[in-house]
Amino acid sequence: MKLAIDHVNSNPSVLTNHTLHFLFGDNLDDPFVSISVETEQWKKGAIAFFGPEDYCEIEASVAAAWNLPMISYKCDDPVVSDKVRFPTFARTQPPSTLSAKSVIALMQHYKWNKFTIVVERRDLMIRAAEKLKALAEFNNMTVNALVNFTGPYGSFENFNEIQSLVMKTYLQTRVYVMYSYPAAFIDFVRFVQKLGLTDTGEYVIIGIRDDEVYDVAGNNNLMFQDVEFVQDRSNSSVQAFRPVLQLMSSPPTNPNYTEWKNEVRSLLYKPPVSLPPPSTIEIILGIQVEIDIFAAYLYDAVMVYARALDEVLQAGGNPYDGRAIVNKINDRTFQSIMGILGYIDENGDAEANYTVLALEPDNSKFGYGLKPVGRFLRHPDKNIDVAYNKDIEIFGGIIPKDEPACGYDGAKCKKNPSYVGYIVGATLGGLLLIAIVVLVIVYSSKLTQIFSN
């Protein structure tokens, strides 16, 4: 936040003759504390709010009542997408419900029109699955089944549910799309392997992970449970990911992103955060405070707001008019600090920007790792349209079908009953009968002549 404010104030082309200042408040992940902090900041003259973290429905309602903008950098709450109820809300964190467009684009590229959705029973994931189902039906695709299992998922308590739903669905599908946290996804993939389905080359499992950015150094960790010891990691667990396509937030493309993170990190030891300085051992070992993706989302939120506020002021508008400011944010692209071209749609929601990973040979211990094989491109003229762009051929070039040629139950290849044999047999039988009758008549005539003589 501090770095973003400094960059806006030092930019002569944005908010000329104006200076931004900010107030800091920690909502402690408590909605009541959050509303209290928001109200105190409003009383002190705040004209825009950045945050809060996690759920934000009530706070967004309060901001809308004051007609002040709220731009969130870490709120996945789907209800705030309703612009009738939340006309002054926007966000730079892509909500999980917006993964549907990318999933559909991926499947359309490979001509997968029939699939099964598996979802962990958590509010946001259920909504994301429902969004995908609706979008699939809109695109004339078939959802073979939508099945769910207990969430939050635990391997020891709920693995039997994973087993059960796979056994109920695998015969009637070939493409799975799964919304879950990593633990359930890994268990699902491993059980599919245990059934031998990984070996057939007929199945695809699409996973969505938007809680972190793809990192080359940590890609192999995506295939193992957090509770697994390094020595217990096996080649079999890696090979279980052969049918997997993993959608993950795209890595930064800004060559100065590491430098930017270092700037952010240096400010954490100053007010208002004031972290204790790193210890000697941390300095020696190179241990640093992690600057995660949400720091980038916060920085982007300030920049998006500054641009919108500048446009409103240039047009003679009111800096207290939250609706006018958010209207300048919605349905617009923006350049993220990560280097990615972002887009905030007409509902104030940032669209997801995914990279697709698949199992490819590498120089790791197991000889394989999850590597980028494709990405999504936004249509230059139609912001709402995304298309999948393949960079590497997946599955060795042998792309599975969404349905076997003979159908899931083989019914499409069952031969229609043929009556040719009956017809031929009847015809031959008739001719034989006629021949016998003729022979009998001829033979009878000969006998009559003999006896007459």
Side-chain angles (χ1 to χ4, degrees):
M1 185 71 181
K2 176 71 165 61
L3 186 60
I5 293 293
D6 289 347
H7 285 178
V8 170
N9 289 338
S10 63
N11 187 344
S13 64
V14 178
L15 294 176
T16 306
N17 300 323
H18 294 82
T19 302
L20 297 183
H21 301 275
F22 75 97
L23 302 168
F24 173 77
D26 188 349
N27 67 355
L28 303 178
D29 196 23
D30 183 320
F32 296 110
V33 174
S34 191
I35 295 170
S36 177
V37 170
E38 183 181 13
T39 304
E40 286 301 315
Q41 291 179 339
W42 172 70
K43 288 163 63 176
K44 292 178 181 178
I47 64 171
F49 301 96
F50 296 90
E53 293 190 3
D54 303 316
Y55 292 94
C56 51
E57 176 181 356
I58 301 174
E59 296 91 333
S61 293
V62 173
W66 295 331
N67 192 28
L68 293 178
M70 173 173 281
I71 300 96
S72 180
Y73 60 92
K74 192 180 180 183
C75 174
D76 202 20
D77 197 332
V79 70
V80 291
S81 298
D82 184 347
K83 288 304 101 180
V84 174
R85 295 177 56 194
F86 307 96
T88 66
F89 182 88
R91 53 184 154 191
T92 49
Q93 177 203 3
S96 58
T97 51
L98 291 189
S99 63
K101 288 182 182 179
S102 297
V103 174
I104 293 295
L106 176 67
M107 291 196 290
Q108 287 177 333
H109 178 86
Y110 292 111
K111 297 180 172 57
W112 296 326
N113 293 307
K114 298 179 179 181
F115 63 100
T116 290
I117 303 173
V118 181
V119 58
E120 186 172 344
R121 283 200 298 271
R122 299 194 184 205
D123 182 60
L124 298 175
M125 291 182 178
I126 291 172
R127 291 174 183 268
E130 291 172 346
K131 177 78 171 181
L132 176 62
K133 183 176 186 294
L135 189 58
E137 292 171 350
F138 177 80
N139 284 278
N140 297 317
M141 303 170 79
T142 301
V143 177
N144 294 328
L146 197 166
V147 294
N148 57 64
F149 57 93
T150 298
Y153 172 84
S155 292
F156 295 107
E157 302 92 340
N158 310 116
F159 181 58
N160 62 315
E161 294 183 55
I162 293 286
Q163 294 175 302
S164 177
L165 65 86
V166 172
M167 296 304 297
K168 290 178 181 177
T169 59
Y170 83 94
L171 291 175
Q172 296 300 315
T173 197
R174 292 297 181 271
V175 179
Y176 285 102
V177 177
M178 188 166 182
Y179 285 96
S180 76
Y181 280 94
F185 185 75
I186 292 171
D187 279 353
F188 183 92
V189 168
R190 290 180 179 179
F191 184 66
V192 168
Q193 180 198 39
K194 185 177 180 180
L195 291 180
L197 304 182
T198 304
D199 304 327
T200 68
E202 297 180 71
Y203 286 81
V204 177
I205 306 170
I206 300 172
I208 299 93
R209 187 165 183 177
D210 49 17
D211 58 332
E212 58 182 283
V213 174
Y214 171 70
D215 176 21
V216 176
N219 67 336
N220 282 342
N221 295 329
L222 302 175
M223 296 180 285
F224 302 106
Q225 301 282 16
D226 291 339
V227 296
E228 287 182 296
F229 295 108
V230 174
Q231 60 268 26
D232 294 332
R233 297 181 174 186
S234 68
N235 186 66
S236 176
S237 297
V238 172
Q239 291 302 313
F241 275 74
R242 280 190 292 172
V244 168
L245 291 178
Q246 182 83 63
L247 275 66
M248 195 167 185
S249 296
S250 296
T253 59
N254 179 1
N256 300 317
Y257 189 63
T258 299
E259 180 183 342
W260 175 85
K261 289 201 296 183
N262 288 334
E263 285 188 83
V264 173
R265 189 178 290 110
S266 68
L267 291 172
L268 294 178
Y269 301 101
K270 300 175 182 179
V273 181
S274 302
L275 290 180
S279 64
T280 303
I281 188 66
E282 287 175 330
I283 295 174
I284 294 173
L285 296 177
I287 299 173
Q288 296 180 313
V289 175
E290 179 60 30
I291 306 300
D292 62 22
I293 191 173
F294 299 105
Y297 290 156
L298 173 54
Y299 183 90
D300 290 341
V302 176
M303 293 300 175
V304 164
Y305 166 75
R307 181 185 69 176
L309 176 60
D310 184 62
E311 291 179 0
V312 168
L313 293 175
Q314 292 285 348
N318 185 346
Y320 294 87
D321 189 347
R323 285 172 172 79
I325 292 170
V326 170
N327 284 339
K328 295 292 185 181
I329 293 175
N330 293 350
D331 196 21
R332 297 276 298 274
T333 56
F334 67 95
Q335 191 66 44
S336 169
I337 188 59
M338 292 189 292
I340 298 165
L341 183 64
Y343 169 67
I344 297 178
D345 68 14
E346 67 280 1
N347 295 319
D349 294 326
E351 287 276 11
N353 193 306
Y354 291 115
T355 290
V356 179
L357 311 176
L359 199 66
E360 293 288 323
D362 67 5
N363 297 321
S364 68
K365 172 184 175 181
F366 303 105
Y368 286 87
L370 290 177
K371 301 289 186 181
V373 296
R375 53 210 157 83
F376 297 93
L377 302 177
R378 191 168 304 285
H379 192 286
D381 301 318
K382 300 177 181 179
N383 289 328
I384 62 172
D385 292 340
V386 293
Y388 176 66
N389 185 75
K390 176 187 70 177
D391 294 327
I392 298 175
E393 192 69 67
I394 62 170
F395 307 144
I398 303 175
I399 307 302
K401 304 292 184 182
D402 60 1
E403 182 181 10
C406 294
Y408 297 119
D409 57 2
K412 293 182 180 180
C413 293
K414 290 181 180 178
K415 294 182 178 180
N416 292 324
S418 175
Y419 299 99
V420 174
Y422 297 107
I423 295 172
V424 172
T427 301
L428 292 176
L431 292 174
L432 180 62
L433 179 61
I434 292 172
I436 293 172
V437 171
V438 170
L439 287 174
V440 170
I441 293 174
V442 171
Y443 183 70
S444 299
S445 175
K446 292 290 185 181
L447 288 177
T448 300
Q449 291 180 1
I450 293 172
F451 286 115
S452 298
N453 293 333

